[in-house]
Amino acid sequence: MPDPRRDPLGIEQRALGAYLGLAVGDALGATVEFMTPREIAHHHQLHREIIGGGWLKLKPGMVTDDTEMTLALGDAILARGEVEAHAVATAFSDWMRAKPVDIGATVRRGISQFRRTGEPRVAENPHGAGNGACMRCLPIALLNWRAPEHRLLEDARTQAHVTHNNPQADAGGETVLRMITAALRGDAAERWPGLIAELEQRYPEYATKRRGENPSGWIVETLQAVFQGLETAQNFEEILVDVVNRGGDADTTGAIAGMLAGARYGVDAIPERWRKALDGKVRKACEKQARALLQIAEQRATPLP
Ligand code: MG
Ligand code: MG
């Protein structure tokens, strides 16, 4: 692992990049969520501006459940100083009570079960391989960016299993988290290909030669589109444009690609027009949470030799 103290970009640039990358990807993708690439081309030629609209009829710069659940998870972690299942489930339940603009079926089921039973973990579900736990995972990466990997993976499962408990989804989500922490340490170029290859070896369904278009909410299709998008360019803007123009669950592919590319290339690599277009409250909440999580991470980290 390279010495994070010698990373020229620095952890704050990367952490802010991940958070604003997530929100920008969500806001950009939401406009074309559930559209096909052909429909997108018909309406937008190439969709590359944050203009709101879409099936949720968003105001320009507004985000959806991907960013909102991330912020709810992050707040629950900051309040406790750790990832605790009951606190996370309570935060998600409070978020659902505030009537979010959208919510996934698996998320709703998990939160409803928690309200009924007080149990903050759902049972393993062979049909629960949605992308809803992965899309909100970013606080776990910031909290553990310098921690031993077993802590990253434990926290990953605790937050995921509040609503999603499925080995295939866990494996995909854990790969994304390991990719983010690698990027936060300045190690993306070297580590990402191996991490993706390891996932494809354990779960061959993730490997495909087909172009990922109209990705559904199934984590496998979501990550196929995201990984292909990450391979198309070495630049934040082109990666996001590639991913969201594949249509389908575009706010979520945008959010996941945005957090990964933001961690890799840093906040200054996000086009200024996109950062400015983002709702001001959302932008500030992301910046504040990123910085606060880095502080806790510092306290939890084993000291560097
Ligand atoms: Mg969404
Ligand atoms: Mg979505």
Side-chain angles (χ1 to χ4, degrees):
M1 181 200 306
D3 186 342
R5 289 171 300 193
R6 298 214 184 98
D7 175 15
L9 215 49
I11 182 61
E12 187 167 297
Q13 263 277 325
R14 294 189 188 279
L16 291 173
Y19 255 87
L20 294 181
L22 153 79
V24 153
D26 185 3
L28 182 73
T31 305
V32 293
E33 189 183 21
F34 302 137
M35 290 169 76
T36 65
R38 194 192 270 258
E39 287 166 342
I40 296 170
H42 177 74
H43 287 279
H44 302 279
Q45 292 191 320
L46 193 62
H47 173 55
R48 57 189 317 145
E49 303 303 330
I50 293 180
I51 52 173
W55 74 281
L56 294 170
K57 301 191 170 54
L58 295 175
K59 290 194 191 115
M62 288 308 294
V63 292
T64 73
D65 52 349
D66 308 63
T67 308
E68 289 175 358
M69 290 199 84
T70 300
L71 291 169
L73 172 61
D75 283 343
I77 295 171
L78 289 168
R80 305 274 311 206
E82 62 177 351
V83 183
E84 197 275 312
H86 199 274
V88 172
T90 303
F92 291 164
S93 175
D94 291 348
W95 166 76
M96 185 161 101
R97 194 164 289 120
K99 301 215 184 331
V101 59
D102 67 336
I103 181 167
T106 311
V107 167
R108 182 186 292 279
R109 220 177 299 123
I111 296 172
S112 300
Q113 180 201 287
F114 170 68
R115 287 180 179 175
R116 268 196 326 275
T117 64
E119 173 57 56
R121 278 171 215 86
V122 294
E124 187 172 321
N125 175 4
H127 308 294
N131 58 24
C134 179
M135 75 183 189
R136 63 179 189 234
C137 74
L138 179 58
I140 305 293
L142 265 69
L143 182 71
N144 289 294
W145 77 279
R146 286 177 55 185
E149 191 162 89
H150 71 90
R151 298 196 66 168
L152 174 78
L153 301 182
E154 265 166 42
D155 286 348
R157 251 161 256 178
T158 300
Q159 87 79 14
H161 291 184
V162 173
T163 55
H164 292 65
N165 184 353
N166 175 282
Q168 189 182 54
D170 282 349
E174 285 162 19
T175 299
V176 168
L177 278 166
R178 293 169 78 199
M179 289 170 72
I180 299 170
T181 53
L184 292 173
R185 295 178 185 137
D187 207 9
E190 203 168 310
R191 297 278 318 281
W192 282 9
L195 288 169
I196 294 171
E198 197 184 311
L199 175 67
E200 292 175 350
Q201 215 165 34
R202 280 174 60 209
Y203 290 88
E205 57 271 32
Y206 280 96
T208 182
K209 292 207 162 50
R210 225 164 19 97
R211 181 178 156 82
E213 291 192 333
N214 295 311
S216 66
W218 182 31
I219 186 75
V220 172
E221 288 188 6
T222 302
L223 292 188
Q224 284 171 349
V226 168
F227 294 159
Q228 288 175 13
L230 290 171
E231 281 163 14
T232 59
Q234 304 279 305
N235 135 355
F236 184 94
E237 180 170 358
E238 293 314 315
I239 290 169
L240 269 276
V241 168
D242 175 280
V243 166
V244 301
N245 280 278
R246 292 164 186 260
D249 196 355
D251 60 326
T252 302
T253 55
I256 298 172
M259 59 178 110
L260 284 159
R264 177 166 183 172
Y265 299 107
V267 69
D268 290 344
I270 303 175
E272 204 182 343
R273 70 180 199 282
W274 286 356
R275 280 184 277 159
K276 281 194 172 146
L278 205 56
D279 176 78
K281 268 197 196 130
V282 171
R283 188 178 58 235
K284 284 198 190 96
C286 286
E287 291 169 348
K288 193 172 160 207
Q289 190 165 100
R291 292 198 170 100
L293 284 167
L294 287 184
Q295 268 183 355
I296 303 197
E298 206 57 43
Q299 290 154 17
R300 280 164 62 108
T302 41
L304 291 165

